[in-house]
Amino acid sequence: MSVFGVVRRVRAYGGHFLLLAVLTLVTALLITAVPRIADRLTGQGLREHVAAQPVASRDVLYSTAEEQVRGTSRAVAAPRAGELDTLQQRMPPAVRQSVGERWYAARTGFTRLSGPDLTADKGLIDLSVRTLGGVREAAGLVEGRWPETGVTGDGAVEVALAETVAGPLGLRAGSRLRLSVLGPDRKPLTARKIVLVGVFRPTDQSAGVWDALPSMLRLAAPTGDGEPFLGVGVTADAGFDALAGAGWPVSFAWRYRISPDRITPGRLGELIDGLATLDRTRPAGLILTQGVDIPLRRFAESLAAARTLLAVIAAGLLATLAGLTVLAARLAARRRRAEYVLLRARGGSTGAVLGRGLAESALVLPFAAGAGWLLGGLLPGGGAQLRWVLLAAALATVALPVAALTGQRTSGRADLIGARSTAVRLTIEVSLLGVAVLGAFLLRRRGLTLGGSVDPLLVSVPVLVAIAAALLALRAYPWPLRLLSRAAARARGSVAFLGTARAGRAAATAPLVVVVLAVATAAFCGVVAAGIEAGRDRAASRAVPGDVLVDGERFAPDTTAALAGLPGVRAVAPVLVEPAQRPYADAAGRFGGVGETRVLLVDGATFAEVGRRAGVTVPDVLRAAGDGSAPLPALVSPALAADLADAGLADAAGRRPAWLDVQGNRLPVRVARTVDEFPLADRNTERFAVLPWPALPADAPHPLVPTAFVLAGDGIDAAAVSRVVDEGQRRYQRGGVVTGGERPRQPEVRTWSAVRAELGGSGVNGLLVFGFAIGAAGGAALGLLALAFAVLAGARGRGQVLSRLRTMGLSRRQWRALLLVELTPLVLVSVLTGALVGALLPLLLTPVLGLPAFTGGAAVRVRFEPGLVAGVLGLAVLALGFAVAVEALNNRRMRLGEVLRLGEES
């Protein structure tokens, strides 16, 4: 067998080898490019996810408790600065290598600041003095100088303050102050003179050096009535040592910022494990504070679920490509069947046939696989492995020889409706069906493995299910066609009868299986993507059941009207939230044996109006009016319903109600309905109760006031809403209802669009979009290509029939109608079966895929949306038009008048 002979045969059948080469190149490109793109998108998502976290969730902080070192004459601040390197070296390697910026701080406790410039109208001021590296590089002086010696000649400690701290206090460079340690009786125990030598302004307020709490850039507001403002100043090491020696309580802190640019997806698990070991390995006497592992664990869970989805999609595409390669090899072998039969008739052995096909394939396909590998390698990222490309190249190379060998063993007609399947084929089909059912059962029972590697069971079950469904459809669809054929035989005309009779012949089994597999992959991507989007919408609506949500403490009653008067506001629903109340057994307050419960009071009518756009439905029981004298109907969580039932409280008839304390009012409650979830009730809250807002008497001792608002409207200004609710909360405080205690927290304003964007715009969302895009587009394109193979598989038989019918007077119009009738069942059964499998696969795999990781924990309800139905029907119409075009083009190329002279096989 000469090389030139092999080259001549490759050139003679260049079309077949070109098709095989393209399929091999696409397969190698998919194997190479998908991991690289996924790695790049994962790294980008990880960096964005970490960078979006609050600074407290990105820092690893070692600190000491406050202690006094009175009477010491040695240096205190400088010696402990060396521990910044020591502590980092003790960290696990993955944590140590992820550290970007780091800071050391020596700080005093907060003590009372006084002076002639601090008048009584400025309130009480407590000051903490720090020595901190990196401050001078991150700020510029507005006036004065930086603390240099730390202590002046008269013993005053030099301090520098931020412009935003010194300005409100009326301090300037040169101001003389006094810092005092107060005793339990609020009298000074010891004092030290302070001189303000400089005022600075940060060059970048977002720099990490300013993130230590309390901030050096602003005065912290008092935590309650009679409490002081808190400020932070900067001094030199000598100034800090002087205060420490004078008896000031001091502490030390070493802060390490995890840099997003130093975290890679490949070492994410190692980094999480390393963070978990920090507390066990921390030095004695130090306090460790870190929350870095929490967002990293959430990202790891999302990444595991995303990689699972991507593996399922990639498995479907690779299986489709493998099927197309087999079909292309069979088509080439069928075209050259006479050549191989002649070779065997002249004494050629099986090895000779295999060797000829292997030599021809080896001349083309390995180079095509190499080209795909090189093209994929041009993309940024990593993770691609050469061994899978080599395996794909080897399988593609042997496909043609094997097809040539097996193609010689087929003879006779196997495409009639009444033809019985061989025992081998029936055994294979039953075995595939059994393996698919068993695999699905084992997968749902075992669940998802988080080992980081590809799960063979997970990626094989969807492919097996699609193949089994295709085989069942092919077994079933000839029977309806037989009935149609009988009905068409009694009708006038021959087109319908001949078309349905030929459509019932199921000879093209393999192409239709590949079509079903490709369409199922595309439909799976569409259904899961729609389910995730709907789940994110529900999660956003649960957090913000309107367009804007205001969450605070207690607001003045007229705040509702003030919000309703803002531009763009269509409706306002007041909400009262009691986060932790224990139901009582009677009005006297006897404990009912039920744990803490989250209580929500809503005005059912207005709440339904504001939540209509967000898709929130309000049961009729919340629209009921009551004055609190009769038991109020309540929506309760299943856990609370079970606890109340065990305690014998809150029966549906209201004979023995449970009592809830809401802002000083004891309200009787009965269980009207059990619900799994409700807006504003966190999914982690096991016990919650939702009550209709009661109409209490006007002279009630404790009028109910809202603690939250839900707004509906268009173009609502969040800043204006924040201003109105802040004033409403202050009006309630000034009304004399609250006369002391802690300062109320600032009201929080959130919009539905912002929450929705947060759910869908970070983390692994880019990886999801990429996976769904290649799955849907690739599945549709490969499905059309497989459909072309299905059409070409029976092209010669159809050409002979059409040629004979044309000689009998069949017109072109009738020929097109016959072609349409014959191909329509073929297209519909393959596309619709694939779409049905793609829609059912998410239902089968939802417990395994971990889809709630993409929706903030909300359950993903897989549904076949109307848009997807329209898409499937559009794909079916496109596929039918494509099939007719392929058949027409093939008939024009074959010249139907010459078909009968090419051979008599039918």
Side-chain angles (χ1 to χ4, degrees):
M1 183 185 304
S2 66
V3 176
F4 296 104
V6 175
V7 173
R8 284 195 300 271
R9 285 193 299 272
V10 170
R11 289 184 59 187
Y13 299 99
H16 297 289
F17 284 103
L18 178 62
L19 180 59
L20 285 170
V22 170
L23 291 174
T24 304
L25 184 146
V26 172
T27 303
L29 180 62
L30 183 67
I31 295 174
T32 307
V34 169
R36 297 180 71 89
I37 296 177
D39 180 74
R40 180 176 62 83
L41 293 175
T42 301
Q44 178 181 343
L46 177 58
R47 290 189 294 271
E48 293 175 353
H49 178 75
V50 175
Q53 301 302 314
V55 293
S57 297
R58 288 187 284 154
D59 288 350
V60 176
L61 176 65
Y62 289 96
S63 60
T64 63
E66 287 189 355
E67 59 181 355
Q68 290 184 332
V69 289
R70 182 188 298 270
T72 181
S73 59
R74 57 183 176 84
V76 178
R80 307 208 68 172
E83 296 184 34
L84 193 65
D85 292 326
T86 304
L87 290 173
Q88 184 172 355
Q89 291 301 319
R90 295 181 56 134
M91 294 178 180
V95 181
R96 182 173 62 250
Q97 295 167 9
S98 301
V99 172
E101 298 178 283
R102 57 182 192 167
W103 303 273
Y104 160 72
R107 54 199 183 186
T108 68
F110 284 94
T111 51
R112 188 59 42 87
L113 184 67
S114 58
D117 295 327
L118 298 179
T119 55
D121 61 318
K122 296 175 182 176
L124 302 177
I125 308 296
D126 279 2
L127 182 70
S128 173
V129 179
R130 294 179 185 171
T131 172
L132 178 65
V135 172
R136 299 189 182 190
E137 294 78 10
L141 288 171
V142 177
E143 56 176 327
R145 60 178 177 82
W146 291 105
E148 299 292 348
T149 60
V151 181
T152 62
D154 61 353
V157 176
E158 297 179 344
V159 173
L161 292 176
E163 181 183 25
T164 50
V165 175
L169 297 179
L171 302 178
R172 299 181 61 85
S175 295
R176 294 259 172 189
L177 305 167
R178 185 180 182 85
L179 197 61
S180 306
V181 177
L182 302 182
D185 57 355
R186 299 299 180 101
K187 293 183 179 181
L189 297 178
T190 184
R192 191 70 184 248
K193 290 184 294 183
I194 299 292
V195 59
L196 183 61
V197 297
V199 177
F200 62 87
R201 178 186 299 157
T203 55
D204 181 10
Q205 294 191 12
S206 62
V209 69
W210 311 116
D211 291 332
L213 297 177
S215 174
M216 291 185 289
L217 302 183
R218 63 187 61 88
L219 285 171
T223 58
D225 292 347
E227 297 295 323
F229 290 90
L230 302 179
V232 177
V234 180
T235 187
D237 288 352
F240 178 86
D241 295 341
L243 290 174
W248 259 253
V250 296
S251 62
F252 305 91
W254 301 265
R255 186 160 58 97
Y256 303 88
R257 174 70 50 86
I258 299 298
S259 173
D261 296 331
R262 298 194 176 191
I263 303 176
T264 60
R267 304 195 66 182
L268 182 59
E270 186 179 351
L271 176 58
I272 294 174
D273 295 339
L275 290 169
T277 63
L278 285 180
D279 190 57
R280 297 195 299 268
T281 59
R282 62 179 174 85
L286 296 186
I287 303 170
L288 173 66
T289 305
Q290 69 89 15
V292 187
D293 61 329
I294 297 176
L296 291 181
R297 289 183 189 277
R298 287 199 298 262
F299 184 87
E301 293 174 0
S302 301
L303 179 59
R307 284 176 171 171
T308 299
L309 269 178
L310 192 61
V312 172
I313 295 170
L317 292 178
L318 289 175
T320 304
L321 285 169
L324 289 174
T325 303
V326 172
L327 294 179
R330 290 179 57 185
L331 184 63
R334 187 183 305 116
R335 180 69 177 84
R336 301 174 61 183
R337 183 171 182 273
E339 174 188 346
Y340 294 131
V341 170
L342 180 60
L343 180 64
R344 293 297 303 275
R346 291 179 175 179
S349 63
T350 301
V353 175
L354 290 176
R356 172 176 290 221
L358 190 61
E360 296 167 356
S361 298
L363 192 63
V364 178
L365 301 186
F367 295 100
W373 165 261
L374 293 176
L375 288 176
L378 298 177
L379 297 172
Q385 297 181 1
L386 181 60
R387 68 173 184 270
W388 299 114
V389 177
L390 296 177
L391 178 61
L395 293 177
T397 302
V398 302
L400 180 60
V402 173
L405 186 62
T406 57
Q408 302 176 47
R409 301 179 181 179
T410 60
S411 62
R413 299 181 59 182
D415 59 344
L416 298 179
I417 294 178
R420 294 187 177 182
S421 299
T422 62
V424 174
R425 177 181 172 182
L426 186 61
T427 302
I428 293 175
E429 292 177 356
V430 172
S431 300
L432 279 173
L433 182 61
V435 171
V437 173
L438 180 61
F441 171 75
L442 293 177
L443 186 61
R444 286 178 63 91
R445 185 171 183 178
R446 187 204 63 183
L448 176 64
T449 59
L450 300 177
S453 59
V454 176
D455 185 354
L457 181 62
L458 178 63
V459 299
S460 60
V461 164
V463 175
L464 291 173
V465 170
I467 294 175
L471 294 177
L472 289 177
L474 289 173
R475 284 287 184 177
Y477 102 101
W479 299 100
L481 289 178
R482 176 183 292 180
L483 298 178
L484 290 176
S485 179
R486 290 176 179 175
R490 295 190 293 268
R492 296 181 60 185
S494 60
V495 172
F497 167 71
L498 291 175
T500 53
R502 287 190 53 81
R505 299 179 179 181
T509 301
L512 289 185
V513 170
V514 179
V515 174
V516 170
L517 186 57
V519 176
T521 302
F524 172 81
C525 294
V527 171
V528 174
I532 291 176
E533 291 297 311
R536 288 172 174 171
D537 290 343
R538 288 194 306 274
S541 298
R542 183 168 184 174
V544 182
D547 295 309
V548 178
L549 172 68
V550 177
D551 186 19
E553 294 195 5
R554 299 188 184 188
F555 300 94
D558 60 351
T559 308
T560 304
L563 288 172
L566 291 176
V569 176
R570 187 177 66 251
V572 180
V575 180
L576 193 159
V577 181
E578 291 284 354
Q581 291 294 330
R582 291 182 179 271
Y584 298 131
D586 51 37
R590 183 166 56 88
F591 179 56
V594 180
E596 290 186 346
T597 301
R598 183 178 180 88
V599 181
L600 288 82
L601 269 67
V602 299
D603 185 336
T606 57
F607 195 81
E609 183 179 356
V610 299
R612 186 177 298 113
R613 180 183 297 185
V616 176
T617 57
V618 178
D620 293 336
V621 295
L622 294 181
R623 303 173 188 264
D627 58 2
S629 59
L632 297 173
L635 302 179
V636 300
S637 62
L640 179 59
D643 291 346
L644 291 173
D646 293 340
L649 300 175
D651 59 291
R655 288 185 292 269
R656 191 184 177 193
W659 295 77
L660 291 171
D661 192 332
V662 180
Q663 293 184 351
N665 299 278
R666 297 281 170 82
L667 301 178
V669 174
R670 62 179 179 87
V671 175
R673 184 175 170 185
T674 301
V675 292
D676 294 326
E677 60 182 27
F678 193 82
L680 303 180
D682 188 84
R683 65 181 56 87
N684 296 323
T685 303
E686 293 185 357
R687 303 181 189 87
F688 65 83
V690 187
L691 312 176
W693 196 295
L696 297 182
D699 57 348
H702 303 287
L704 298 176
V705 295
T707 63
F709 297 97
V710 183
L711 286 68
D714 298 311
I716 301 176
D717 186 358
V721 172
S722 180
R723 184 173 59 255
V724 169
V725 296
D726 189 52
E727 293 173 355
Q729 189 164 267
R730 291 179 181 176
R731 284 197 304 275
Y732 181 82
Q733 300 296 319
R734 290 195 300 265
V737 179
V738 177
T739 58
E742 295 185 356
R743 182 185 180 93
R745 61 184 174 91
Q746 187 76 13
E748 181 184 7
V749 179
R750 292 189 294 169
T751 62
W752 187 94
S753 58
V755 174
R756 179 61 179 82
E758 182 181 353
L759 286 171
S762 61
V764 297
N765 191 66
L767 184 60
L768 283 180
V769 172
F770 167 70
F772 291 145
I774 64 167
L782 296 179
L784 293 178
L785 184 57
L787 189 61
F789 278 108
V791 172
L792 293 177
R796 181 169 299 280
R798 279 191 298 271
Q800 291 176 350
V801 171
L802 290 176
S803 295
R804 293 189 180 101
L805 292 176
R806 288 291 298 276
T807 62
M808 298 179 187
L810 187 73
S811 67
R812 286 185 174 273
R813 184 176 181 180
Q814 289 176 318
W815 166 63
R816 294 191 184 96
L818 176 61
L819 189 62
L820 193 64
V821 171
E822 180 178 348
L823 293 181
T824 297
L826 176 75
V827 172
L828 290 181
V829 71
S830 56
V831 172
L832 296 182
T833 301
L836 182 62
V837 172
L840 295 179
L841 274 178
L843 296 177
L844 175 67
L845 301 178
T846 292
V848 181
L849 296 177
L851 298 181
F854 310 129
T855 59
V860 176
R861 302 167 187 170
V862 178
R863 294 180 299 179
F864 215 48
E865 301 289 342
L868 295 176
V869 176
V872 170
L873 295 179
L875 179 61
V877 173
L878 177 63
L880 182 59
F882 181 74
V884 173
V886 169
E887 179 68 17
L889 182 63
N890 183 71
N891 288 339
R892 180 177 300 177
R893 184 184 63 83
M894 292 177 61
R895 297 179 183 177
L896 294 180
E898 302 177 1
V899 171
L900 297 179
R901 295 195 298 271
L902 293 177
E904 292 301 326
E905 69 273 9
S906 58

